[in-house]
Each structure stands twice: as structure tokens, then as C-alpha cells.
Amino acid sequence: MRQLWKKGKRALAKGLLAAALAAGCLLIPSGVGYADSPRTIRVALFADIGSKYKLTVPAVTLLSSQTWSLAAENGGNVLVTVPSGTKVRASLDGYRVKVLETSSWPMAADAAKKLQSTSDKPLLFLNSKGGSNVYQLYTGTYASESAAKNAVDRLANAGLSLPADQPPVIKGGKHLTAGSYATQLEADTARASIAAAGVDAWTAVVPSEGGGSKYEVWVSEAASDSDLDAARIVLSQVLPQLSLTTASAGLMIRTEAGLDLNSETQAPHYAVSGGAKFMASGSSAGIQLAERSKRTYRGSLELGGMNGSLSVINELSLEQYLYSVVGGEVSSSWPAEALKAQAVAARSYALAQGMRFDIANVVDTTLSQVYNGIGTEAASITSAVDATAGEVLKSGGNIIEAVFSSNSGGVTADPTEVWNNNGGNVFASVDSSADSSAVAAAKKWYYVQLPGGTDGYVREDNVKLTGEKTAAGLDLLTATTKDVNVRALPVLDSSVSPVGKLNPGENAVVLDKVLESGSYSWIKGPYTSAELLKSLQGKTSAALPSSITSLQVTERGPSGRAVQVKANGNALSVKYPDLYRSALGGLPSTLFDIVPSGSYTVLGADGRTASVSGSQPAGVLSATGMVTGGGSGTVVMNGDNKARVIDASPGFLFIGWGYGHGLGMSQWGVKGMAEQGYDYQKILQHYFQNVTIVKE
């Protein structure tokens, strides 16, 4: 039971946080680089960037409380002006499957609903054709023509009620231009005359070479050049008067009919076609992106395509980006010096990324830094960012990648414990005792054993000590109110049923007293062998045993974090030590002890140790002589008078400290140091070694 790594630096850590913050920026080693401009930054909201980042949607819904526009990426030609309060949909004009065409809204909506829960996401449009309105249901978009072909096979067996003469068919983003016009009205009129002949036709807005825009009528939606050539031949026979040329880049204007599949509504829909990119530019009110949790973003939203999927990149001022990042990473109620430290670290981190994500400097998740748009801005944070405007951390003339995590658990990590390398001269394990600011208001919990033998945790404000003790000297307590929940772990969690109840007059034995599990300290488990083996799959290069009977931290780094863990005596090798967090069931940090829940270790007078499982009887020397004890429900106590209950089934508890990788700056430590009177410069130079703060 003794937690050896608490010695030395670990003795500074005393508690934990009741509610954990996000883990901060996820640590990925990188080289030195800079964003394209110190004044702007590109944030990927949706994109398929291969192994670096993938988050995609078939279409996005844009809305603003003020007028906004869609413009060409190069030259800034305004193509579309969108009135305030108008919802607009946008997608990539790529590979898709046309599933159904019908004049019946209920039929189209019903088929779309059935597809919503599948991997083939529906897109429903309204079009006019042959003198009447038709609803056209598609799925996609798909990264390639072969992926679309696979979708055709799936859709044929999806249980949809489709007309026999309408098998699903592949469509694409190759079009023919049937005419060019100065106004949309002229183009719409020409489109209607073509559609009256039973031909699919759409109006498109395209940038003019000399500036401004023009309108074209597009026909055909071919998936390949050969399909486009075939369509040209057919169309020349049906409408010989048309002069057809290959369409270039533009915005294909469609009518969205799938905003609400329970009630027929329409909205403008713009499909980005021809490999071009377009900028959705708003006012100070920003533009809301419904598919990103209805967040509203400053700056512009670049709509384009990458790897066959729609990409949405938010391009904005770096300082305005920080207004949101600092608010997404820490609380706006924190001391001003803490907010300033976070602002400088976040600015440095962002500028050190270069174009890490190919078409963007950063992403909006903890893979980079938490960025939630205007919603996380606050006056205190804006002031902190403005007060440090342009300030960055430099070492050796380069801006450093100023990584941070939520809570280092009392001591920050050494690079060898995270990256498996020395990390240069900027990062080192340092004291972070101010992390205890996370538990300033946290309640403590008693670890107890109920009269029936069940063990669990009760919060201190629901119980009281009776003043009595057991024969072993352990305190007794009772409830101060009816039906006090006894929980499996020291944390409130409505999704997990309590393991028992305690009522006034019923006594429970106090085995230990701990802080509530959170970001500063925590208890996870017990995890069974099967659960651990499932989590370890694919995350270790070692051959996994059929069953884990022993699990031990066999090597620790300078801060006490685990750098080697053995199962059944064999090392569970990982690519770098911080991967133990995910490999062992998603642990908050690698600063942990492992305690077998179904066994205990006995130290003999001769210095030898022996392990006793919960299923074994053991000899116990009592005041009346040697008796047989042990087994499930047995209470064992160590030399520090800390006790625990031995479970019947084997498993492993993880008792740890900190939340996140622990390298660099600890956010809760920053808060604690600010509360102690340190300014942001002193705080930053404590967590980052050999750095200067420079205004760029």
C-alpha cells in the first residue's frame, strides 16, 4: 500500500480537483516552425488531413445575425451576399451517390431518415425538372470513385423503398457549361428552359477574370471525364441548340431540402466545385457553424476540399484566436497573472506550429489547443491577451513550443517521461506544489467498510466520527442523514450506481481518508485482466499474456512517472512513456501506483515478501494466539495505519496524481502561483527553462 513515489518531490502534493479541466494541448514532438504570419492563424475545424487529423461532415450550416458574404479565395470577388438570419448550407461538389428522385416529399424524407444513422449520410435537394418539382436524395461525399462504388453496393442492401427503375448511381463534380450570364435572374431563366426538357440543370456563380462574378448554367454531374464526354453526346442530341464547354471552378447553387426531415423547409445550398476555395466572411458578430456545436467564429471560414472531403478552415487574427483559446483552456475567473501566463504560452505554442496540418497551423481540439470560437471569450481574458500582445517565449532565438497540461500533480514531467528524449534545455521536471490550488475547495472522502463487508467511499459532509474505534484502532463513523450513498470511487457520478447506503445509527469502519478524485489526484479501477488486455491491444509491442496476474511499475523517471510497466514480469513496451495513459485504460496521467485489489503483500521478519490473494486463508497472530483469517472482505493495514479491503475477484487499482502529460506548464500550478503573488513572467520562467519573453 505504501506509495513509494510520494517521497521527495511527491511529498509536496496533498490533494486533488473536484472537477477536471481539459488536458490542455496534446503533446506531439515537432521541429521549429512558424505560422505564416504573426498576425493571422489558420484553424482546421473540419478536414481530412490523413494521419494528422480527420474530422469530416458532408455539409455545414452557416448563420449570422448580420449580413455576410461568400467570396473567391483569390482576389476577394464577392459572389454571394447572405442576409442576416438566413441559414445557408455548403458542401463539396465531389463523388456522391444519387439514391432517389421523386416528386413525393414524404418518400424522400423517409429514405433520408433511414440513412441518417448509417455511414452514408444523406443530402436532400429540391430541383425543378420536366415542368415540376422533384426531390433528389444523394449520399456522400466520398473520397474516391471506388469509395462511391462501395456505397452503391451498401445502398442496394440498405432496406430502402426505391423505385425499380432507379438503382443508386454514382455522380461527381464534373459539369458542362450551357451558357454564361451577367445576372442570376438571366441564368435561372435559362436553366428553367433546359430543365423543362427533363434535363438536370443548375445555376452556378463563378469568379470573373477581371473581378466580380458571373453566372453559368451547368448540366450533368459526371464522376469521370469519360462520363462527362458521354453526357456531352447525349445532351447535344436532346438539346442541339446548346453550346457546351467544360465548367471550371465555382459555387453550384442548389436548394437544400434536408434541414428538417420532419417538416419541409428549404434553404440556399452552395456546393464548392472545381477545386476552388471560397471565403465565408462575416462582421464582428461572426458566423455560426451548426455542425461544430453551433459555435460562432470570428474572421473568415474558408470552404474547400481535401482528400475528397469538405474542409472548413477558420482564418482570423492570432490575438482574437487567443481570446477564445485562453478561455477554452482555463477559467476566466482566474487571477490576471495566470491568464497572462496562459496567453503567452498559447501564443508561443501556436506560432511554433508552422503549417503542421498542411492547410492549417492548428486544429481546434486538444490535439493543438482548445478553441471554441467567440463563446469562450470574456473581458478578463481579452484584457490578459491585450496586455501581453505579441509576447512569446524564446530560447536560442526560436519561439518554443510552450506545451502545457491541466495539472502536473505536484511535480512536472521530465521530457524522458513523455517523449522518451531529453527535450532540449527548455523542459525539465520542476516543483509544482501550487497544483494544490485545484483542491482548495474540494471535499474529502472517507474510505469505509460497511457492516456487511462492502467497502466504498462516503463524502465527509454526510457523515461524522462517533469517537469509537475498532480493536485495531480504526475509527468508526455514522451517517448524519438518511440513505447516504457509498460510492465505488471518491467522486460524484450519477451514471454509476452506489455500492451501498449508510444510515444514522449504522457504524462503518474508517480505512482511509482521501481527496475527491479529479485533476490533482485520482483513483481509477479496479480494472480486470480482461479490461486491461483489451485496452492494451495494439498499443504495446510486447506479446500480451492470456491473463494478467501481476502488474507493476518497474521503472520511474525523475518526477516519479512510470516509464516502464511489467505484466507477469514482462515489460509492456510502448512507443513513448506517455502512451501508458491510453494503454492502461485511459488514465489521467502516468504518475501513478498500481495496487492489486484482490491480494496483498506481507513482509516477513526475515525481509522476505509473500503475496496473499483474497481467495486464500492466512495465518493471523492475535492476542489469543494464531487464528486463520484472510479471504474476501479481509481488512489489511500497513505501517502507516492505512487500511484497505481485499476483494474476492482479482483486479488492479490505479492511484495517481495529475491530469495530462505533465510536461511544461501546469495550468493549475499557474493559478496557484498567481494566487501566491507571482507575476506571469516569473511563472513562465519557472515552468520553462532558459527562456526569455520577447514582444514580436
Side-chain angles (χ1 to χ4, degrees), residues 547-579:
S547 177
I548 298 177
T549 57
S550 69
L551 192 65
Q552 298 174 313
V553 177
T554 51
E555 188 178 341
R556 298 185 185 276
S559 75
R561 285 169 169 80
V563 296
Q564 185 184 77
V565 176
K566 288 186 176 181
N568 301 353
N570 297 314
L572 296 172
S573 300
V574 292
K575 189 174 182 180
Y576 50 90
D578 195 55
L579 283 180

Side-chain angles (χ1 to χ4, degrees), residues 241-484:
Q241 73 275 20
L242 296 181
S243 176
L244 299 174
T245 60
T246 302
S248 57
L251 286 171
M252 183 179 183
I253 304 173
R254 309 191 75 150
T255 299
E256 172 75 38
L259 276 177
D260 184 352
L261 296 177
N262 295 311
S263 177
E264 184 177 357
T265 56
Q266 284 86 45
H269 187 118
Y270 299 96
V272 177
S273 185
K277 295 179 180 178
F278 299 90
M279 306 298 290
S281 301
S283 63
S284 59
I287 299 177
Q288 182 194 88
L289 183 57
E291 288 72 21
R292 210 72 182 103
S293 303
K294 293 186 177 180
R295 294 169 184 155
T296 300
Y297 298 95
R298 295 183 181 274
S300 299
L301 298 177
E302 178 191 276
L303 306 175
M306 188 170 189
N307 292 327
S309 295
L310 177 69
S311 63
V312 182
I313 310 297
N314 186 198
E315 186 172 291
L316 74 162
S317 155
L318 172 62
E319 300 302 308
Q320 290 181 337
Y321 164 75
L322 293 173
Y323 293 163
S324 174
V325 166
V326 175
E329 289 287 352
V330 298
S331 170
S332 62
S333 66
W334 281 13
E337 296 304 303
L339 299 180
K340 291 176 186 177
Q342 181 66 57
V344 175
R347 185 182 294 111
S348 303
Y349 179 88
L351 288 172
Q353 299 310 295
M355 292 297 285
R356 171 174 287 187
F357 295 95
D358 299 347
I359 58 173
N361 308 118
V362 294
V363 297
D364 68 338
T365 69
T366 54
L367 192 60
S368 294
Q369 302 180 111
V370 175
Y371 171 63
N372 294 329
I374 292 175
T376 50
E377 295 181 8
S380 60
I381 291 168
T382 300
S383 295
V385 173
D386 290 347
T388 63
E391 291 186 11
V392 294
L393 291 160
K394 277 191 167 184
S395 179
N398 295 319
I399 298 175
I400 70 165
E401 188 177 31
V403 296
F404 49 85
S405 62
S406 175
N407 196 310
S408 66
V411 58
T412 68
D414 186 85
T416 59
E417 300 170 310
V418 183
W419 281 335
N420 210 20
N421 62 32
N422 61 26
N425 64 349
V426 172
F427 302 102
S429 177
V430 300
D431 165 61
S432 190
S433 53
D435 284 327
S436 60
S437 64
V439 292
K443 297 293 184 182
K444 289 187 176 180
W445 291 64
Y446 287 104
Y447 175 43
V448 301
Q449 184 180 42
L450 300 179
T454 301
D455 62 299
Y457 296 85
V458 291
R459 210 169 70 175
E460 63 178 349
D461 55 343
N462 294 319
V463 295
K464 66 178 181 180
L465 296 174
T466 66
E468 301 177 15
K469 295 181 180 291
T470 68
L474 298 173
D475 289 320
L476 297 177
L477 60 70
T478 191
T480 56
T481 187
K482 186 178 179 182
D483 289 334
V484 171

Side-chain angles (χ1 to χ4, degrees), residues 207-237:
S208 296
E209 292 182 3
S213 62
K214 61 182 179 179
Y215 295 88
E216 295 179 351
V217 176
W218 288 359
V219 292
S220 179
E221 45 182 347
S224 65
D225 290 335
S226 59
D227 287 348
L228 193 65
D229 290 339
R232 191 192 306 266
I233 294 172
V234 171
L235 288 167
S236 64
Q237 295 172 347

